[in-house]
Amino acid sequence: MDTEGTESAEDTEEFRLPRSRRANERLHALIPGGAHTYAKGDDQYPENLAPVISHGRGAHVWDVDGNRYIEYGSGLRSVSLGHAHPRVVEAVRRELDRGSNFVRPSVVELEAAELFLATVPTAEMVKFAKNGSDATTAAVRLARAATGRPRVALCADHPFFSVDDWFIGTTPMSAGIPAATNELTVAFPYGDLSATDELLTRYQGEVACLILEPATHTEPPPGYLAGLRELADRHGCVLIFDEMITGFRWSEAGAQGLYGVVPDLSTFGKALGNGFAVSALAGRRELMERGGLRHSGDRVFLLSTTHGAETHSLAAAMAVFTTYAQEGVTARLHALGERLAAGVRNAAAAMGVGDHLVLRGRASNLVFATLDENRQPSQPYRTLFLRRLLAGGVLAPSFVVSSALDDADIDRTVDVVGEACAVYRKALDAGDPTPWLAGRPVKPVFRRLS
């Protein structure tokens, strides 16, 4: 743990963030939403308690007010090895000294592709980009080109696929997207093969692809992913796994490597670069080559980005591959998550809120739900809980772990959760969390109005 001359945030009602508050005002004056990612917006945090980060190291971050936090959520799941991981930083620094972008491919692109395909052996070709949305949209475009079909079928139970119109048009933030575009996206429920079969039959010959996260907060039902594979084959559509989150956290080869079901295309990101901007579209050669130069049919504008092959980001990805393989990172993430989950559940139960603070998900990817007196999801109770965590020096929009956490971090987190649950119990007994909010509740990311 690096204290670097700072102190952890005090667990007190007097906890304030004056410098962060001023920085947030400046951010809103210059950047729509005050952040470059909606999930990082200050509306996701209790009023006036949205820390602006100065720096991070390992499992800890410091805000501009000098407070140190144990960080969960791991950079929206992108920093699974911890901040400024030495092996990743050294790989990046080495490439920066050699130049980062050229008019022709760098040998680093070859090396990164070889290592990726050795790590994800279910894929035959790969193309790198900078963000997940570009990769998933390229997969959808490729599926449409290969099948000649217009419709995209996405899993309705998964929260995010892309910033592009084919997905955002299905959310409450669909302003600016033509209705005609929205009509080309249809949805199927996770875990229900018969409903998906019925959807594909209803739009027989129109659906280009099925796109979903292979697993999220629940494990796939037995035979489900294999059943989707069979449905896609039978109906002639492309099966796409969005492995942005499951990649590395489920196994080094993603959920497809863990569950043994091979999609036609898959997309990776987040943990791929340990915070550096790199994503990947991977899949069967027959499909991927349609975006290449060795195909006799109409070419697909698959992915063509000036910065898609920056050498330092690809070097970061290769360092991640190596670190996971040599240090057993996936197993460590699971072990840390299991320790945390057990502690949080015990703390919640001890304070009588075990039915109201609910942990969900795989141990390496834990999220929590805050439920009210009627056991319904509650933003006010989430606000109360987040507020108490922040005051105790825990920054946790989720309980997604990084491998940089240690037992002392977990133990401290559990102590803070216990203190937060004591306040949660008081609010439940009062039947109203409002006196403990000190401002407006946190808000969902996807909503129609601000």
Side-chain angles (χ1 to χ4, degrees), residues 133-134 136-137 162-169 177:
S133 293
D134 285 350
T136 53
T137 292
S162 174
V163 300
D164 294 300
D165 289 2
W166 64 269
F167 170 71
I168 292 297
I177 299 172

Side-chain angles (χ1 to χ4, degrees), residues 120 122 190 212-216 219-220 225 241-263 266-268 362:
V120 187
T122 45
Y190 188 76
L212 74 157
E213 295 180 67
T216 53
E219 288 291 294
L225 296 178
F241 282 176
D242 178 344
E243 297 249 33
M244 293 294 160
I245 293 173
T246 52
F248 296 95
R249 286 192 177 272
W250 265 242
S251 81
E252 288 85 351
Q256 59 195 276
L258 180 65
Y259 300 123
V261 176
V262 181
S266 55
T267 59
F268 289 76
R362 196 170 182 83

Side-chain angles (χ1 to χ4, degrees), residues 270-350:
K270 294 196 182 287
L272 181 59
N274 199 54
F276 285 90
V278 59
S279 63
L281 168 64
R284 291 196 292 114
R285 182 177 303 277
E286 176 189 355
L287 287 171
M288 294 289 289
E289 192 60 79
R290 288 174 174 265
L293 299 176
R294 299 180 176 181
H295 181 262
S296 59
D298 291 343
R299 293 181 65 200
V300 178
F301 196 90
L302 188 58
L303 279 169
S304 182
T305 56
T306 299
H307 302 290
E310 284 177 330
T311 56
H312 59 274
S313 292
L314 294 181
M318 287 192 286
V320 169
F321 294 142
T322 303
T323 303
Y324 265 75
Q326 293 182 356
E327 299 183 10
V329 173
T330 302
R332 175 167 174 77
L333 292 174
H334 281 83
L336 287 166
E338 287 168 358
R339 180 184 176 97
L340 176 65
V344 168
R345 288 179 175 128
N346 288 338

